[in-house]
Amino acid sequence: VTHAYMSQLMTSTKAKIIDLSADFRLSEASLFEKHYHQHDSPALLKTIPYGLPELFSDEIKQSQVVANPGCYPTSVILALYPLIKEGLISGSIISDSKSGVTGAGKALKESFLYCEVNNSFSAYGTGVHRHECEMVDVLGCDVFFSPHLLPMNRGILSTMYASTDVKTVKEIDTVYEHYYLDKPFVKLALQSETPTTKFVMGTNDCRIGFRLFPDKRRLVVFSAIDNIVKGASGQAVQCMNIMCGFNETEGLGQIGLYL
Amino acid sequence: VTHAYMSQLMTSTKAKIIDLSADFRLSEASLFEKHYHQHDSPALLKTIPYGLPELFSDEIKQSQVVANPGCYPTSVILALYPLIKEGLISGSIISDSKSGVTGAGKALKESFLYCEVNNSFSAYGTGVHRHECEMVDVLGCDVFFSPHLLPMNRGILSTMYASTDVKTVKEIDTVYEHYYLDKPFVKLALQSETPTTKFVMGTNDCRIGFRLFPDKRRLVVFSAIDNIVKGASGQAVQCMNIMCGFNETEGLGQIGLYL
Amino acid sequence: VTHAYMSQLMTSTKAKIIDLSADFRLSEASLFEKHYHQHDSPALLKTIPYGLPELFSDEIKQSQVVANPGCYPTSVILALYPLIKEGLISGSIISDSKSGVTGAGKALKESFLYCEVNNSFSAYGTGVHRHECEMVDVLGCDVFFSPHLLPMNRGILSTMYASTDVKTVKEIDTVYEHYYLDKPFVKLALQSETPTTKFVMGTNDCRIGFRLFPDKRRLVVFSAIDNIVKGASGQAVQCMNIMCGFNETEGLGQIGLYL
Amino acid sequence: VTHAYMSQLMTSTKAKIIDLSADFRLSEASLFEKHYHQHDSPALLKTIPYGLPELFSDEIKQSQVVANPGCYPTSVILALYPLIKEGLISGSIISDSKSGVTGAGKALKESFLYCEVNNSFSAYGTGVHRHECEMVDVLGCDVFFSPHLLPMNRGILSTMYASTDVKTVKEIDTVYEHYYLDKPFVKLALQSETPTTKFVMGTNDCRIGFRLFPDKRRLVVFSAIDNIVKGASGQAVQCMNIMCGFNETEGLGQIGLYL
């Protein structure tokens, strides 16, 4: 829909709107225009919240319109936001992310034909993908984003590399638990498991784990989502539930297929 | 190339031509026109041999033009021809064939996108596929052809069901050995193995095996090829070698990748 | 559990038992012993119904114990039973069936390692698989069963070939609709679609379709199920629902994943 | 073979030995013992060269025994060695590497079964994999190694992240061309292409590419190999060719399968 039609809906009805496009994800028109194109409704940008319910549910609850996050940013921001806000990591962060092919939609491009994707793996859009600015904007921190295409249908695994002065696993556990222990769709794998895309297939979950190497000042964080559920329509339903006063998990309780 | 250009080549040069299209595979224009469209050069049909070297090398050797067989017919005809010619099987034969996606070329169709093919399996063109008439025409026998699409890149496995009065495995072994023991690209798996597409990947081989159930008068024959080697360009090279007087295996000796 | 323990449960409690093993699927001990081994409780064989709810719900409802069908027989029997009982097909029937790897469970065998299965396809157990006698026993008709292993996790597609004197599609439609129009888990694809394993993934559905060639007296029937739902635990839950007086679809309404 | 047998071979015969194990890859017994176990022949360690022919062909040529490199280290060292030796990159380097399942051999472990690997992706051995010390030892530089398992058979892609003061692509091109322009198995994709595992499947090639972001002082280097050719037996053949005075490419000229 056009922005004109959206504005009309907003003024003449009480319809709740969840925008799956990237139009209202960024905070500044200048940022949007640098990475996309001219913005039709710059005034609306500041009023529409970023629809990541685990972090911005208050703003989502009160807004008529919500900007549904991108799939890669969902996986990266959920994993890094608590650590950055609590000052546990600093400096430049790298996210080496890998996505199944559904991330590309149903575009009829040779590179998405079965025989091209099957048995192969490569990077694309290194350092120039539009999702990078979305991560930087929400996290308020420098992130270098490097996506790759996996020979499978669903799932994103982001492997994130940060420098840290943290000495113990417990400090990190505590921060994640503070942010997410009461969030139904964040599963803290932490030290007990390495997040695997298969475990989130068909679910609205985000599984977060990490490995800490204090002697190297290195922290590696893993985050797994199903890119077409938590990374797209599942998250939209979750936002709708919050906007409409429903239980946050309504319609999202389906058990994921393991295989 | 057009038929006009081909005719010109034939009369003005000594160029050897291997036609990868279906234009000259059938023996009669009427048959071609029933399954394809009007034929531009019906007079040529009778003079151009069917390029299956294991069965028609004499004709191939002497011809300026050869019609390269279809992929499915290659797998089915090599397996059935000796049994039919020697009278071991009779009546209607069923070929339940399964092909990897390279059989469809690089066509930009939604049904060949990675996410459509991966994790799925189905039949297509049951009883109406154009390759059926090619089998019937060469074999001189009723064959019902039922193709399926496999979630993999390369390989055709045809499972063929026939009625038979043969009582012993040895009778069948003897016929196959008579036809193929000196043919470098036919591997007789017979009773010792079930032909597997992986074993022919990247090779110009056709592996043939069978199971006989005399009490049920049932014979099941298996045939595995790499559809883009023996089922296409590899066979064209084999024909070229024969037409040019080279060793039949020239350029085709590459070892197939097992994995 | 042992048969002794099962007998004890049956006499001392009112526990409903759904047996996932093959022990009580066949009607005669002699048949079982020919294909498996000595039977410990031959007397029970006649009293325990075959747990295919679309065909035997009356018996299932009244029984304390039910024998849950095999995965391949579920796909074949649901497709053929109405046609055989109504006399639409006759003579020997062939089922060329293809299954995903979950059919083999989690057995640690080299042939189920990723690198062996991926990019490959072959037959196994042709004419000697134990599921054949289960089909023959329930259908009361000669079936030749020919299984194959697909490079994918879930799903069975059975392609069945029968001779028929039926002249019109309508006659077949009518029979299937009579048997299955009120059955929630049988989806009649019939002429409009070719059943595809992807469409039943994660569901308790069986999709049935067919192609009729009256001039060749040939009928091809297709049947697709998810082998670990309708072909195993999903069907067990369906039986339990019927045995316990619950709604037949209870706990089975989950939407299947398309991808 | 035991080290005792190897020593005996070395003294009593002129047999050339290429050791595919990790026993002689590291330069110091103490390093080996930290990551593996007690070393049986520490004295030999200093005399046996690391069998990476593009970098150490002089040592390989003169030695009776060569230690064949690990698969991951081959991909990482070939990409980073020229940049480190010429001082173009500094500080800690991250290698986020992804490997097909053949890297695990044919071990009968549940985690390598088809249904576990297919449709899934995860990290393993982060920061504790034994190949890390091999990279650090040869490169003389801190590398953090983070391996992942891909749902495919063959191929490694390493994505390496380094800090750099280099301002122009040309400086990097020049260094790589100096080291590798005359090396038959290193293909410099550089700016024109992103290395893809499919392009090296079945070959002894290593394809190297990179992206430079001078404003971020960030260099990303990609390296793709077939882990069971250049990462294992292909490299062993290449070493043998050099040790025996054959042409370096002998027996390795096979064209890789694209599909």
Side-chain angles (χ1 to χ4, degrees):
Chain A
V1 303
T2 61
H3 290 193
Y5 181 63
M6 197 177 88
S7 295
Q8 187 194 326
L9 272 182
M10 287 173 67
T11 48
S12 65
T13 76
K14 290 184 171 173
K16 309 285 193 187
I17 298 169
I18 297 153
D19 183 20
L20 285 160
S21 82
D23 286 7
F24 298 100
R25 291 179 189 162
L26 302 178
S27 59
E28 303 280 353
S30 58
L31 194 58
F32 182 88
E33 292 176 359
K34 185 174 166 199
H35 295 282
Y36 291 86
H37 48 74
Q38 203 185 324
H39 202 289
D40 289 346
S41 317
L44 280 176
L45 269 178
K46 285 286 179 198
T47 72
I48 297 180
Y50 191 70
L52 206 47
E54 285 77 12
L55 300 174
F56 309 113
S57 63
D58 288 347
E59 295 85 337
I60 293 168
K61 202 176 300 178
Q62 292 160 22
S63 184
Q64 192 181 1
V65 187
V66 162
N68 212 51
C71 53
Y72 283 123
T74 295
S75 77
V76 171
I77 295 168
L78 282 174
L80 297 181
Y81 193 92
L83 305 178
I84 291 169
K85 290 298 151 188
E86 303 304 319
L88 300 196
I89 58 179
S90 61
S92 177
I93 301 162
I94 291 165
S95 182
D96 186 295
S97 295
K98 303 88 175 174
S99 174
V101 188
T102 49
K106 287 199 161 190
L108 282 182
K109 290 169 71 172
E110 190 179 300
S111 54
F112 301 133
L113 288 175
Y114 181 81
C115 295
E116 300 295 311
V117 173
N118 190 30
N119 300 325
S120 195
F121 182 73
S122 67
Y124 69 98
T126 312
V128 298
H129 195 287
R130 287 164 166 185
H131 280 177
E132 185 178 281
C133 65
E134 195 176 324
M135 300 170 192
V136 171
D137 192 33
V138 177
L139 291 170
C141 175
D142 184 26
V143 177
F144 184 85
F145 175 54
S146 173
H148 299 72
L149 187 67
L150 285 167
M152 56 189 233
N153 291 15
R154 292 169 174 250
I156 286 177
L157 185 83
S158 289
T159 310
M160 291 154 277
Y161 302 90
S163 297
T164 186
D165 292 323
V166 170
K167 293 293 173 222
T168 68
V169 160
K170 197 169 186 313
E171 291 172 75
I172 297 170
D173 282 353
T174 304
V175 165
Y176 275 128
E177 286 166 7
H178 175 66
Y179 275 74
Y180 294 137
L181 212 56
D182 64 340
K183 304 300 182 203
F185 296 117
V186 177
K187 302 287 189 288
L188 297 174
L190 305 183
Q191 292 297 299
S192 58
E193 171 209 315
T194 304
T196 301
T197 60
K198 195 188 275 292
F199 291 155
V200 296
M201 193 169 142
T203 78
N204 197 51
D205 288 351
C206 176
R207 293 185 90 91
I208 297 173
F210 67 90
R211 292 289 181 281
L212 176 67
F213 303 90
D215 53 327
K216 298 181 176 177
R217 301 193 59 252
R218 171 77 60 202
L219 175 65
V220 185
V221 184
F222 304 102
S223 165
I225 62 168
D226 184 330
N227 55 299
I228 55 178
V229 186
K230 184 63 178 169
S233 56
Q235 187 140 270
V237 170
Q238 188 182 356
C239 283
M240 181 190 70
N241 287 338
I242 292 170
M243 294 163 86
C244 295
F246 304 154
N247 187 320
E248 189 174 345
T249 61
E250 213 66 53
L252 295 168
Q254 184 187 337
I255 297 156
L257 294 178
Y258 177 61
L259 294 167
Chain B
V1 301
T2 63
H3 291 192
Y5 181 63
M6 198 178 86
S7 296
Q8 187 194 327
L9 273 181
M10 287 172 69
T11 49
S12 64
T13 75
K14 291 186 173 173
K16 309 284 192 187
I17 299 170
I18 296 153
D19 182 19
L20 285 161
S21 82
D23 286 7
F24 298 101
R25 293 179 189 162
L26 302 178
S27 59
E28 303 281 353
S30 58
L31 193 60
F32 183 87
E33 292 176 358
K34 186 174 165 199
H35 295 282
Y36 292 87
H37 48 75
Q38 204 185 324
H39 201 289
D40 289 347
S41 319
L44 281 175
L45 270 177
K46 286 286 179 199
T47 71
I48 297 179
Y50 190 70
L52 206 48
E54 284 77 12
L55 300 175
F56 310 112
S57 64
D58 287 349
E59 295 87 335
I60 293 167
K61 202 175 299 178
Q62 292 159 23
S63 185
Q64 193 180 0
V65 187
V66 162
N68 212 52
C71 53
Y72 284 123
T74 294
S75 76
V76 171
I77 295 168
L78 282 175
L80 297 180
Y81 192 92
L83 305 179
I84 291 168
K85 291 296 151 189
E86 303 304 320
L88 300 195
I89 58 179
S90 62
S92 176
I93 301 161
I94 292 164
S95 181
D96 187 295
S97 296
K98 302 87 176 173
S99 174
V101 188
T102 48
K106 288 199 161 190
L108 282 183
K109 291 169 70 173
E110 190 178 300
S111 53
F112 301 134
L113 288 176
Y114 181 82
C115 294
E116 300 295 312
V117 173
N118 189 31
N119 300 325
S120 196
F121 182 72
S122 67
Y124 69 97
T126 312
V128 299
H129 194 287
R130 287 164 166 183
H131 280 178
E132 186 179 281
C133 64
E134 194 175 325
M135 300 170 192
V136 171
D137 192 34
V138 178
L139 292 170
C141 175
D142 185 26
V143 177
F144 185 85
F145 175 54
S146 174
H148 299 71
L149 186 68
L150 284 167
M152 55 190 233
N153 290 18
R154 293 169 174 249
I156 285 177
L157 184 84
S158 289
T159 311
M160 291 153 279
Y161 302 91
S163 296
T164 185
D165 292 323
V166 170
K167 293 295 173 222
T168 66
V169 159
K170 197 170 185 315
E171 291 173 75
I172 297 169
D173 282 353
T174 304
V175 165
Y176 276 128
E177 285 166 6
H178 175 68
Y179 275 75
Y180 295 137
L181 213 54
D182 64 339
K183 305 301 183 203
F185 296 117
V186 177
K187 302 287 189 289
L188 297 174
L190 304 184
Q191 292 296 298
S192 57
E193 170 207 317
T194 303
T196 301
T197 60
K198 194 188 277 290
F199 291 155
V200 296
M201 193 169 142
T203 79
N204 197 49
D205 289 350
C206 176
R207 291 185 93 90
I208 298 174
F210 69 89
R211 293 289 181 280
L212 176 68
F213 304 89
D215 55 326
K216 299 182 176 176
R217 304 191 56 251
R218 172 76 63 204
L219 176 63
V220 185
V221 184
F222 304 103
S223 165
I225 62 169
D226 184 328
N227 55 297
I228 55 178
V229 186
K230 184 62 177 168
S233 56
Q235 187 140 267
V237 170
Q238 190 183 354
C239 283
M240 182 189 71
N241 288 339
I242 293 170
M243 294 163 85
C244 296
F246 303 154
N247 188 320
E248 189 175 346
T249 60
E250 212 66 53
L252 295 167
Q254 183 185 340
I255 297 157
L257 294 179
Y258 178 60
L259 293 168
Chain C
V1 301
T2 64
H3 289 193
Y5 181 63
M6 198 178 87
S7 296
Q8 187 193 327
L9 272 181
M10 286 173 69
T11 48
S12 64
T13 74
K14 291 187 171 170
K16 308 284 193 188
I17 299 170
I18 296 153
D19 182 20
L20 285 160
S21 83
D23 286 6
F24 298 101
R25 291 179 189 163
L26 302 179
S27 58
E28 304 280 355
S30 58
L31 194 60
F32 182 88
E33 293 177 358
K34 188 176 163 195
H35 294 283
Y36 293 86
H37 48 74
Q38 204 185 324
H39 202 289
D40 289 346
S41 318
L44 281 176
L45 270 176
K46 285 286 179 199
T47 71
I48 297 179
Y50 190 71
L52 207 46
E54 285 75 14
L55 300 175
F56 309 112
S57 65
D58 288 349
E59 295 86 336
I60 294 167
K61 201 176 299 176
Q62 292 159 23
S63 184
Q64 193 180 359
V65 187
V66 162
N68 211 52
C71 53
Y72 283 124
T74 295
S75 77
V76 171
I77 295 169
L78 282 175
L80 297 181
Y81 192 92
L83 305 178
I84 290 169
K85 291 296 151 189
E86 303 304 319
L88 298 196
I89 57 179
S90 62
S92 177
I93 301 162
I94 291 164
S95 182
D96 187 296
S97 296
K98 302 90 176 172
S99 174
V101 188
T102 49
K106 287 199 162 190
L108 282 183
K109 291 170 70 174
E110 189 179 301
S111 53
F112 301 134
L113 288 175
Y114 181 82
C115 295
E116 298 296 312
V117 173
N118 189 31
N119 300 326
S120 196
F121 182 74
S122 67
Y124 69 97
T126 312
V128 298
H129 194 286
R130 288 165 165 184
H131 280 178
E132 186 179 280
C133 64
E134 194 176 326
M135 300 170 192
V136 171
D137 192 34
V138 177
L139 291 170
C141 175
D142 185 26
V143 177
F144 185 86
F145 176 53
S146 173
H148 299 72
L149 186 68
L150 284 168
M152 54 191 233
N153 289 17
R154 294 169 173 248
I156 285 176
L157 184 84
S158 289
T159 310
M160 290 154 280
Y161 301 91
S163 297
T164 186
D165 291 325
V166 170
K167 294 293 174 223
T168 67
V169 160
K170 198 171 186 313
E171 290 173 75
I172 297 169
D173 282 354
T174 304
V175 165
Y176 275 128
E177 286 166 5
H178 175 67
Y179 275 74
Y180 294 137
L181 212 55
D182 63 339
K183 304 300 182 203
F185 295 118
V186 177
K187 302 287 191 288
L188 297 174
L190 305 183
Q191 292 296 300
S192 57
E193 170 207 317
T194 303
T196 301
T197 60
K198 195 189 278 287
F199 291 155
V200 296
M201 193 171 142
T203 79
N204 198 51
D205 289 351
C206 176
R207 293 186 90 91
I208 297 173
F210 69 89
R211 293 288 182 280
L212 176 67
F213 303 89
D215 54 325
K216 299 180 176 179
R217 302 192 58 251
R218 172 76 62 203
L219 176 64
V220 185
V221 184
F222 304 103
S223 166
I225 62 168
D226 184 328
N227 55 300
I228 54 177
V229 186
K230 183 64 178 169
S233 56
Q235 186 140 268
V237 170
Q238 190 184 354
C239 284
M240 181 190 71
N241 288 338
I242 292 170
M243 295 163 86
C244 296
F246 305 154
N247 188 318
E248 190 176 345
T249 60
E250 213 66 51
L252 295 167
Q254 184 186 336
I255 297 156
L257 295 179
Y258 177 60
L259 294 168
Chain D
V1 302
T2 60
H3 289 192
Y5 181 64
M6 198 177 88
S7 295
Q8 186 194 327
L9 272 182
M10 287 173 68
T11 49
S12 64
T13 77
K14 290 186 172 172
K16 308 285 192 186
I17 299 170
I18 296 152
D19 182 20
L20 284 161
S21 83
D23 286 8
F24 299 100
R25 291 180 190 163
L26 302 179
S27 58
E28 304 280 353
S30 58
L31 194 58
F32 183 86
E33 293 177 358
K34 185 173 165 198
H35 295 282
Y36 292 87
H37 48 74
Q38 203 183 323
H39 202 290
D40 288 347
S41 318
L44 281 176
L45 270 176
K46 286 286 179 198
T47 72
I48 297 180
Y50 191 70
L52 205 47
E54 285 75 13
L55 300 174
F56 309 112
S57 63
D58 288 349
E59 294 86 335
I60 294 167
K61 202 176 300 178
Q62 292 160 23
S63 184
Q64 191 180 1
V65 188
V66 162
N68 212 51
C71 52
Y72 284 123
T74 295
S75 76
V76 171
I77 295 168
L78 282 176
L80 297 181
Y81 192 92
L83 305 179
I84 291 167
K85 291 297 150 186
E86 303 304 319
L88 299 197
I89 57 180
S90 61
S92 176
I93 301 162
I94 292 165
S95 181
D96 187 295
S97 295
K98 302 90 176 174
S99 174
V101 187
T102 49
K106 287 199 162 191
L108 282 182
K109 291 168 70 172
E110 190 178 300
S111 54
F112 301 134
L113 288 175
Y114 181 81
C115 295
E116 300 296 312
V117 173
N118 190 30
N119 300 325
S120 196
F121 182 74
S122 66
Y124 69 97
T126 312
V128 299
H129 194 287
R130 286 163 166 184
H131 280 177
E132 186 179 281
C133 64
E134 195 176 324
M135 301 170 191
V136 172
D137 191 34
V138 178
L139 291 171
C141 174
D142 184 26
V143 176
F144 184 86
F145 175 53
S146 173
H148 299 72
L149 186 68
L150 283 168
M152 57 190 232
N153 290 16
R154 291 168 175 252
I156 287 177
L157 184 83
S158 289
T159 310
M160 290 153 278
Y161 302 91
S163 297
T164 186
D165 291 323
V166 169
K167 294 293 174 224
T168 67
V169 160
K170 197 168 186 316
E171 291 172 75
I172 297 169
D173 282 354
T174 303
V175 165
Y176 275 128
E177 285 166 7
H178 174 68
Y179 275 75
Y180 294 136
L181 212 55
D182 64 340
K183 305 300 180 201
F185 296 117
V186 177
K187 302 289 190 285
L188 297 173
L190 305 184
Q191 292 297 297
S192 57
E193 171 208 315
T194 304
T196 301
T197 61
K198 194 188 279 288
F199 291 155
V200 296
M201 192 169 143
T203 78
N204 198 49
D205 289 350
C206 176
R207 292 185 91 90
I208 297 173
F210 68 89
R211 293 289 182 280
L212 176 67
F213 303 89
D215 53 327
K216 300 180 176 179
R217 302 193 56 252
R218 171 77 62 203
L219 175 65
V220 185
V221 184
F222 304 103
S223 165
I225 63 168
D226 184 329
N227 54 299
I228 55 178
V229 186
K230 184 61 177 170
S233 56
Q235 186 139 269
V237 171
Q238 189 183 356
C239 283
M240 181 189 71
N241 288 339
I242 292 170
M243 293 163 86
C244 296
F246 303 155
N247 187 320
E248 189 175 347
T249 61
E250 213 66 52
L252 295 167
Q254 184 184 337
I255 296 156
L257 294 179
Y258 177 60
L259 293 166

